[in-house]
Amino acid sequence: MIAGIELGGTKTVVAIGNPDGKLIEEFRYPTTHPKDTLTIAVEWIRQRGLPVSLGVGAFGPVMLAGRGDDYGRMLATPKPGWEGFSISAFLRTAFPDCRVVVETDVNAATLAESRCGAARGLDDVVYITIGTGIGAGILAGGRLVHGALHPEFGHLKVPRSPVDEFAGLCPFHGDCLEGLASGPAIAGRWGVDASALAPEHPAWEIQAWYLAHGVLALAAITAPSRVVIGGGVAQLRGLHERVQAEFVRLSAGYFLQAQTPDFIVPPALGQNAGIFGALLLAGGTDL
Amino acid sequence: MIAGIELGGTKTVVAIGNPDGKLIEEFRYPTTHPKDTLTIAVEWIRQRGLPVSLGVGAFGPVMLAGRGDDYGRMLATPKPGWEGFSISAFLRTAFPDCRVVVETDVNAATLAESRCGAARGLDDVVYITIGTGIGAGILAGGRLVHGALHPEFGHLKVPRSPVDEFAGLCPFHGDCLEGLASGPAIAGRWGVDASALAPEHPAWEIQAWYLAHGVLALAAITAPSRVVIGGGVAQLRGLHERVQAEFVRLSAGYFLQAQTPDFIVPPALGQNAGIFGALLLAGGTDL
């Protein structure tokens, strides 16, 4: 038996699965203080057996470099009680003989979409999520990219749309990608929630401009063969086609990816990507 | 014995080395037509023995994905006779029992700088070269990033400097990074070669702006722990410190890398990075 935990900012999902990463049973509950939250997961798993391997997809920032003492420790976060808490140390104490693999939530979702979702079978994939913030998980040559900490794609600086006068609302950078194209940015620019904006509203032309510039930066740096864009703000029908058309225009015949009709696609796993990814982390080889 | 070939647009370097990648002897000569160029390398190596492994760092674009028939084949290039030529097929025929590893020239240099140069011992490194064009090699988690083809960092789109009115000269994109910050772009903007511009010339403020935005995109996407900037245009004394200062200003306290004093550095291996990298490719495990 293996187990997975998706640790979200508001909800947690715990599941058990087959050794190949397939889900058997899951349980969802609210995320509270770290020990309480993980104790519920540990007890739920224990009632079903002892896992040989446990994968975690966690909200961040979380330290993932190396396999030292800091591995799996939460860094500065406004969420009460979590800063400095070591997810991996807690779980290794609870299950001493179990392999524990910790990843960011977006990396877990990236893995799930690339193994059994919208980018199935591909080794070079980016998964972007657009909601209250903007994040990305990057699979390069079949392995998740961590770097010195982990990608902070939302804080990319992109050229301003010539028809956009909104100042941006990132508290650090003002007009970085997240400051211009997250859900709160769209709401700040137009005075209504993104879900209330009709497909023909000029908001979406601006949104496609910013997302296409983000995708172009990815094409220039890690050259993915597919980009999956998910999250609440990506649910507008036709948005992916518009971002793809804008990316093709920007690349001006240069990028290989601009010739691929299904380069930019919506996710296939929806709400399940995170927990599927946590189980794949538990079941898979070292990523 | 192992061997390495650095295949540049104008010159080729061939070398033999120890199994651990250390150079024993090298020979430099002009690059001409593909068969002539590689025949000289093959004969030179044969006179010294039969290598068990051969690493190549080649000008591009060259196909690197997978290990199929296309691996090591030159793609569209204006250099006469090279388009469609398979470097790996030619070398496998010449040395049937030899392992042949092909990489881009910038990836070979990235490997050399990260193993024995300015980023020694680090697993998350970017090497940027600025000359007639702009390119980058990316090491993520100790492995070179290839993606669907290979990174095309020069064609990243970055915000325009507010004090720059130069239109940019990339034939595809106009004002992409290469169109604004390569050697020809600087010459086009100021009417003189970059080497003729004094350190206090306003050209370098603009150059630092563009390079810092490029570095910020890298920090947001692959999160390297060091960025090495080389090439003819990066030889101005103090340029790396200026790019680092501009990057720190842009990151506004956000990126971990902005707290690292030696995050952006010049290369340590100079002209030798390419051939050292080719030998490391031959000597190393699969990258």
Side-chain angles (χ1 to χ4, degrees), chain A residues 26 52 55 59 64 73 85 95 103 113 140 143 180 183 190 195 222 234 239 243 253 260 266 272 277:
Chain A
E26 69 165 35
V52 294
F59 69 91
L64 303 174
R73 194 167 61 79
F85 180 80
F95 298 112
E103 274 293 349
E113 290 289 349
R143 300 208 312 180
L180 292 169
W190 302 104
S195 61
T222 67
L239 180 65
V243 177
T260 311
N272 294 318

Side-chain angles (χ1 to χ4, degrees), chain A residues 5-17:
Chain A
I5 301 173
E6 180 193 356
L7 208 52
T10 55
K11 74 162 195 328
T12 293
V13 188
V14 55
I16 54 167

Side-chain angles (χ1 to χ4, degrees), chain A residues 192-211:
Chain A
V192 291
D193 190 80
S195 61
L197 296 166
E200 61 277 9
H201 193 283
W204 299 110
E205 183 192 329
I206 292 175
Q207 187 71 359
W209 164 284
Y210 289 124
L211 294 181

Side-chain angles (χ1 to χ4, degrees), chain A residues 62-118:
Chain A
V62 56
M63 179 55 78
L64 303 174
R67 283 290 184 273
D69 285 348
D70 272 356
Y71 174 75
R73 194 167 61 79
M74 285 301 229
L75 302 175
T77 166
K79 217 171 149 53
W82 283 89
E83 185 171 337
F85 180 80
S86 173
I87 298 165
S88 52
F90 186 93
L91 293 172
R92 278 174 184 152
T93 305
F95 298 112
D97 298 321
C98 177
R99 174 173 165 266
V100 176
V101 184
V102 180
E103 274 293 349
T104 59
D105 45 5
V106 69
N107 269 357
T110 304
L111 190 62
E113 290 289 349
S114 69
R115 294 289 166 85
C116 49

Side-chain angles (χ1 to χ4, degrees), chain B residues 158-165 177 180-181 186 189-190 194 197-214 233 236-247 249-250:
Chain B
V158 291
R160 295 297 304 262
S161 157
V163 296
D164 180 25
E165 289 173 9
L177 186 60
L180 291 168
I186 298 174
R189 183 184 288 113
W190 302 105
L197 295 166
E200 61 278 9
H201 193 283
W204 298 111
E205 182 192 330
I206 292 175
Q207 187 70 359
W209 164 284
Y210 289 125
L211 294 180
H213 277 83
V233 176
L236 179 87
R237 187 193 300 257
L239 180 65
H240 296 81
E241 290 80 355
R242 286 167 83 155
V243 177
Q244 170 122 2
E246 184 65 12
F247 169 72
R249 190 187 68 78
L250 286 175

